[in-house]
Amino acid sequence: MAFVTDKEELKPGLVIFRRADVQHRNWYCRVKLPKADRYKTFSLKTSDINAARDRAYDHDADVRFRLKHDVPVFNRPFRDVAKEYLTTQEARAKRGEISPARPKKLKAVLEGALEAYVGSTQVHLIGDELWGSYPAWRRENGAGRNKRNGVREVSASLAEKFAVQDAASRTKAMHSRGIKLSKALAAKAAAPLAERTVAFISDSTIRFEMSIFGAVMNYAVKKRYVPASKRFDERPKLKTMRRDEFTVEEYRKLHTQGRRWIKKDHEGNPNKPVAEWYRTMTYNMILIACNTGMRPSELRNLRWRDITTAKDRDGREIMVLFVQGKGKSRKLVAPKSVGDYLDRIREISKATEPEDRVFTTSTGQPTQSLYKHLIDDLLTRSGLREGPGGTIRSTYSFRHTYATFRLGEGVDVYFLAEQMGTSVKMIEDHYGHVNTIKHADRVLMGIGGWETMHAEMNAESDAEEANAKSAQASKARQSKKPPRSKR
């Protein structure tokens, strides 16, 4: 190294030196790690040679102590460890171990909220306090999408920041839909103080971000950047948000509205052929999703070769679909009606070879968006865009609808979990309300007698109140009678 001057070796692996590329004359030392081609450099913060030697020996002893007791030698900021972790996940995605979309989600969180929270913090300094304080910090420094969690007032500067983020998000969404813009969308002007409110970040979002936070810290433990005590597996208890599915009435409304939506636009005029083609594909995809419970990624990956027919025990024809998504694959069964929906798609599709995707663009190319903007348009037109819990519905809502309908019909939780490629616990956590309704007769067993008793009690109370009022009125009349005249 050309900038090293006055170099002196105190012992093998321990060197002190000055730097020619700085203004001061202070000493530095470099400690070689035993059995490794790595070095740790320290600033000794003194220009005295004797003091420099003593401090160099102290640092050498400290390094050896750390190595002996498995304490990290090198300090790293969280962002550097996060980059390393992200690289490993991108490699896993290339090998097919996880979905290609997973690293993109990780990157958004690592370079967004977590970068702002602990990006520059040395990873060995992250402890229980920083870990446990994340939910409160996130709620105060972020804006959610849905107002079901409540709203809060924000300062003008924070409102401006959120407006810029929203404009960037809308611009990205437009580009993803193939809409070319001459320039990025401008941020909306900050609203008056009384109107400067934003929705709170949902607990499900915080839980997801903390899972990534914990994964990075666990990676740091694995790489021996931090001791095992820095492993964070237990996340703060946050409420689980119920997922909004469609009720039977809403599903019928969506079904009916969808048939009209295919033929006519919002002004009642006939759709152009290409618009009618896309709407037909979207409508049939919704029906398939609601009758199979497939994830959006599984719908996107579905190929014609993955579809076969079979017969159940009663000899009825069923569909068997081999689906792939979230880095996993499985076979699921569906009613024959799903085959009819697939036949409709095959009739209009330009990609019907075994290796072709089922859901494509009008030119036969695989669709990446799964007709998201068309689904949004249909849900908005049907008045079903927002669920009763305030959740903005999406393609995933069709999967939730399938699960709710199946549980309502009495399907065993275990078999449903196998069909949907998820865990029994997930079914129980997110769809427990269905069992309550399904077993209402058991929950309300004997309630008729209870209601009769209450009716009798209410009748007795009403009679007592009526008698009391009658007596009070009679007494009042008596007090108002005119006195008898004296003769």
Side-chain angles (χ1 to χ4, degrees):
M1 294 179 286
F3 60 84
V4 173
T5 63
D6 302 332
K7 181 177 178 181
E8 179 181 337
E9 184 177 29
L10 302 182
K11 68 172 191 174
L14 179 61
V15 176
I16 62 172
F17 60 92
R18 286 193 173 108
R19 299 178 58 134
D21 58 342
V22 295
Q23 298 293 326
H24 59 74
R25 297 288 294 161
N26 289 345
W27 289 90
Y28 293 83
C29 79
R30 188 178 67 201
V31 181
K32 185 179 184 303
L33 273 62
K35 300 180 181 180
D37 190 21
R38 301 186 68 186
Y39 298 85
K40 176 73 173 177
T41 301
F42 299 92
S43 172
L44 301 177
K45 299 181 180 179
T46 180
S47 58
D48 182 82
I49 183 68
N50 294 320
R53 290 173 181 145
D54 292 339
R55 294 181 184 181
Y57 280 115
D58 290 342
H59 283 299
D60 179 70
D62 180 64
V63 168
R64 294 178 181 279
F65 175 86
R66 288 172 175 268
L67 292 172
K68 181 178 180 180
H69 295 279
D70 198 24
V71 177
V73 174
F74 297 95
N75 298 332
R76 295 169 180 267
F78 180 86
R79 68 168 61 94
D80 288 354
V81 180
K83 287 178 181 178
E84 286 187 31
Y85 172 73
L86 182 60
T87 300
T88 64
Q89 299 307 298
E90 290 172 342
R92 290 185 64 199
K94 289 181 179 179
R95 294 194 298 267
E97 296 177 7
I98 57 176
S99 68
R102 179 68 178 177
K104 295 179 182 178
K105 294 180 180 178
L106 294 175
K107 185 176 182 181
V109 174
L110 293 173
E111 296 183 356
L114 293 181
E115 166 63 25
Y117 186 61
V118 288
S120 60
T121 304
Q122 297 294 318
V123 72
H124 70 284
L125 297 178
I126 296 175
D128 292 334
E129 184 177 355
L130 272 175
W131 171 255
S133 299
Y134 182 75
W137 176 89
R138 189 70 173 100
R139 292 189 185 100
E140 287 297 318
N141 292 274
R145 293 183 298 172
N146 306 318
K147 295 184 179 180
R148 63 178 176 178
N149 300 302
V151 296
R152 61 187 175 88
E153 291 185 357
V154 296
S155 63
S157 59
L158 198 55
E160 183 179 357
K161 174 186 174 183
F162 290 148
V164 171
Q165 291 176 348
D166 179 65
S169 178
R170 287 187 290 118
T171 301
K172 184 178 179 180
M174 298 287 273
H175 284 310
S176 67
R177 295 179 185 177
I179 302 174
K180 295 182 179 180
L181 301 173
S182 57
K183 59 180 180 179
L185 296 174
K188 298 178 181 178
L193 178 60
E195 302 175 14
R196 284 206 300 267
T197 60
V198 296
F200 278 108
I201 295 288
S202 71
D203 284 358
S204 58
T205 297
I206 294 175
R207 185 183 296 105
F208 173 67
E209 293 172 351
M210 292 193 76
S211 69
I212 298 174
F213 190 177
V216 174
M217 295 303 297
N218 292 345
Y219 174 79
V221 171
K222 181 180 177 181
K223 297 291 288 185
R224 291 188 157 185
Y225 298 152
V226 294
S229 61
K230 298 294 182 181
R231 184 183 183 92
F232 301 110
D233 289 324
E234 293 186 6
R235 293 188 284 279
K237 291 184 178 180
L238 304 170
K239 62 182 179 182
T240 300
M241 303 305 296
R242 176 181 162 181
R243 303 178 176 188
D244 279 342
E245 68 285 342
F246 296 96
T247 63
V248 174
E249 292 75 16
E250 288 176 330
Y251 180 68
R252 286 175 179 166
K253 183 179 180 181
L254 183 66
H255 191 285
T256 303
Q257 184 68 34
R259 294 173 68 89
R260 301 171 185 164
W261 174 75
I262 290 174
K263 298 295 184 182
K264 296 182 179 182
D265 62 17
H266 64 283
E267 296 178 352
N269 301 318
N271 282 314
K272 295 180 180 179
V274 66
E276 184 175 335
W277 186 95
Y278 273 108
R279 292 186 178 200
T280 301
M281 289 288 286
T282 303
Y283 173 71
N284 284 285
M285 188 201 74
I286 290 173
L287 297 179
I288 292 170
C290 288
N291 283 274
T292 61
M294 282 194 283
R295 297 182 177 91
S297 59
E298 294 168 346
L299 290 165
R300 192 182 300 113
N301 295 333
L302 187 66
R303 300 174 187 267
W304 291 111
R305 70 179 183 194
D306 300 327
I307 304 167
T308 57
T309 59
K311 291 185 182 296
D312 64 10
R313 291 182 178 179
D314 298 326
R316 292 173 299 190
E317 185 176 337
I318 60 173
M319 307 301 299
V320 180
L321 309 180
F322 177 74
V323 297
Q324 303 176 75
K326 292 190 71 173
K328 297 177 287 187
S329 61
R330 72 183 189 286
K331 285 185 177 180
L332 60 82
V333 294
K336 184 180 180 299
S337 57
V338 170
D340 298 334
Y341 307 144
L342 289 166
D343 288 341
R344 295 178 193 171
I345 292 174
R346 189 188 291 271
E347 288 176 5
I348 65 173
S349 178
K350 292 184 178 180
T352 57
E353 295 298 320
E355 294 297 323
D356 290 335
R357 302 288 175 89
V358 173
F359 300 106
T360 65
T361 63
S362 59
T363 60
Q365 298 300 313
T367 179
Q368 297 300 318
S369 65
L370 274 184
Y371 322 115
K372 180 181 182 302
H373 63 290
L374 290 165
I375 291 173
D376 293 346
D377 180 59
L378 176 56
L379 294 179
T380 300
R381 193 171 302 187
S382 304
L384 302 173
R385 184 80 170 92
E386 185 173 315
T391 303
I392 301 300
R393 285 167 166 153
S394 64
T395 309
Y396 231 97
S397 298
F398 306 133
R399 175 174 165 86
H400 305 326
T401 300
Y402 173 82
T404 303
F405 285 2
R406 293 294 86 215
L407 286 171
E409 292 295 330
V411 174
D412 186 89
V413 175
Y414 174 78
F415 292 124
L416 183 61
E418 286 288 314
Q419 165 84 353
M420 298 183 66
T422 188
S423 65
V424 172
K425 185 178 185 304
M426 194 286 295
I427 297 289
E428 293 174 341
D429 287 348
H430 293 287
Y431 303 103
H433 62 286
V434 180
N435 285 327
T436 301
I437 298 171
K438 183 176 67 176
H439 300 304
D441 57 333
R442 299 182 184 180
V443 175
L444 301 178
M445 186 179 296
I447 199 69
W450 183 262
E451 289 176 340
T452 301
M453 183 183 69
H454 272 268
E456 293 174 352
M457 292 168 61
N458 289 335
E460 291 176 1
S461 298
D462 292 342
E464 290 177 1
E465 291 178 4
N467 291 335
K469 288 181 179 179
S470 177
Q472 188 176 2
S474 177
K475 187 177 181 180
R477 285 195 300 271
Q478 290 290 336
S479 63
K480 290 183 179 179
K481 287 183 177 181
R484 293 180 179 179
S485 58
K486 295 181 180 180
R487 294 181 178 176

